[in-house]
Amino acid sequence: MNRAIRINEQRHARRRDAFIEALVGAANGYFKIYSIYLGHRLGLYRGLADLEALTSGELAARTGTHERYVREWLEQQAVAGILEVADETAPTLERRYRLPSGHAEVLIDRESVNYLAPLAQAAVGVARPLEALEAAFRSGGGVPFAEYGEELRRGVGELNRPLFLYQLGREYLPSIPDIHRRLLADPPARVADMGCGTGWSAIGMAQSYPGIHVDGFDVDAASITDARDNARNAGLDHRVRFEVRDAGDPDLTGAYDLVTAFECVHDMSDPVAGLTTMRRLAGSRGSVIVMDERTGERFTTADNPIEQFLYGFSVMGCLPSAMAEQPSAATGTLMRPDTLRQYARQAGFRDIEILPVENDFFRFYRLNV
């Protein structure tokens, strides 16, 4: 009996200590995210962009920031393994810091598909309405997307921007032969982009297919304002138009050759209504494509970093924003294929087809009438 008690106590201690270590590691990750956010927003990484080793005073002067804050940030970044130190034994004010080239691509190269600095921006944004989220947990209500503010809206937009500009129209859509042919053909194809966010998906399609016209729709007014600015800056506002509209609006009409929904169906309070609109807009000749998170086929507690990440965003952002409108399907970020299949059939589609598009984070579906 005593031996069994000792074994249980040892097991308890091991699990406790392992959890403590993991929790401390998570807190370190939290602080790293916020420090990356500061480096991104204040231009500190871009100040180091030429890979020159700078002192805290030099970087502060280059970025218009305060030396003492910059010095502490540089030391934290070096200890966190983000920056390199030329000589850590040098006097504090003479110590020089460098941004490694591999890290520079991730933190400052906006055109790279490996650009992840906006991930820190989105992570900060998703934590913004914590008091409202706590209240929603108690009441069963939700947190409107607008309450998450600019950081989440633009962070997610910038995070997906390279995929939409450099992969969507150059790799992913060309891998679907009939859709690719129609987007290249005359008369010019019309595309409806539902839940278009800050507009990069619509802009990316228009850049890759110079003849098409794209109408982007999103319920968030601030996102549409950003999308219009982005299209104008890209010189595409004559072919890309954005409008504040709910995807499930029964008055939304038109005839489109392609209807898309990129990473937004799981956010809809009424995804069946949104998909019903998409089916109506595509008619009998158009095609419907949905891109959403590459979740597992079923729930499992097996170690999976991507699902851990998705559940974090779901608890903090996607589920609360979907529940801000009632009644709500309350899908959450982890919309598994069977869930989308159920929604699609309720919307009048015959079935969904998982397309052979290779992406670690997203899965592409074709919805068939």
Side-chain angles (χ1 to χ4, degrees), residues 124 186 246 251 314 328 344:
V124 169
D186 286 322
D246 190 305
D251 295 326
S314 192
S328 174

Side-chain angles (χ1 to χ4, degrees), residues 61 71 78 123 130 223 232 254 272 308 316 341 365:
R71 188 196 325 162
L130 276 177
S223 293
R232 184 169 54 254
V272 173
Q308 292 174 21
M316 300 291 292
R341 181 173 289 109
Y365 304 88

Side-chain angles (χ1 to χ4, degrees), residues 97-218:
Y97 300 83
R98 178 187 298 109
L99 178 63
S101 60
H103 295 188
E105 180 185 354
V106 176
L107 294 171
I108 61 177
D109 187 355
R110 189 171 180 244
E111 309 309 317
S112 171
V113 295
N114 297 310
Y115 179 54
L116 287 181
L119 177 59
Q121 187 176 3
V124 169
V126 83
R128 183 180 184 226
L130 276 177
E131 290 187 6
L133 179 59
E134 179 183 349
F137 261 73
R138 298 182 187 280
S139 69
V143 182
F145 180 76
E147 290 193 25
Y148 289 90
E150 173 186 330
E151 302 299 353
L152 181 61
R153 182 180 76 250
R154 293 186 175 170
V156 171
E158 286 292 302
L159 191 61
N160 289 336
R161 176 182 174 275
L163 180 153
F164 289 140
L165 293 188
Y166 305 118
Q167 293 178 295
L168 177 61
R170 299 182 187 181
E171 300 176 33
Y172 299 156
L173 292 178
S175 72
I176 314 170
D178 63 312
I179 291 178
H180 181 59
R181 284 194 300 270
R182 181 62 192 96
L183 294 177
L184 290 172
D186 286 322
R190 295 189 67 209
V191 178
D193 189 20
M194 314 303 289
C196 63
T198 54
W200 293 116
S201 49
I203 292 167
M205 288 188 285
Q207 286 181 339
S208 297
Y209 296 99
I212 69 172
H213 293 264
V214 187
D215 292 332
F217 304 102
D218 200 289

Side-chain angles (χ1 to χ4, degrees), residues 290-312:
V290 169
M291 181 193 87
D292 220 279
E293 270 64 19
R294 184 177 286 276
T295 65
E297 297 286 336
R298 61 179 181 83
F299 171 79
T300 175
T301 58
D303 185 31
N304 184 324
I306 291 178
E307 294 233 342
Q308 292 174 21
F309 175 83
L310 295 178
Y311 267 116

Side-chain angles (χ1 to χ4, degrees), residues 256-295:
Y256 291 91
D257 301 282
L258 175 63
V259 184
T260 60
F262 298 110
E263 202 190 6
C264 64
V265 172
H266 72 258
D267 290 313
M268 296 178 183
S269 58
D270 190 349
V272 173
L275 293 173
T276 299
T277 299
M278 294 174 68
R279 184 177 182 276
R280 182 175 68 252
L281 296 181
S284 60
R285 297 185 178 182
S287 300
V288 176
I289 297 294
V290 169
M291 181 193 87
D292 220 279
E293 270 64 19
R294 184 177 286 276
T295 65

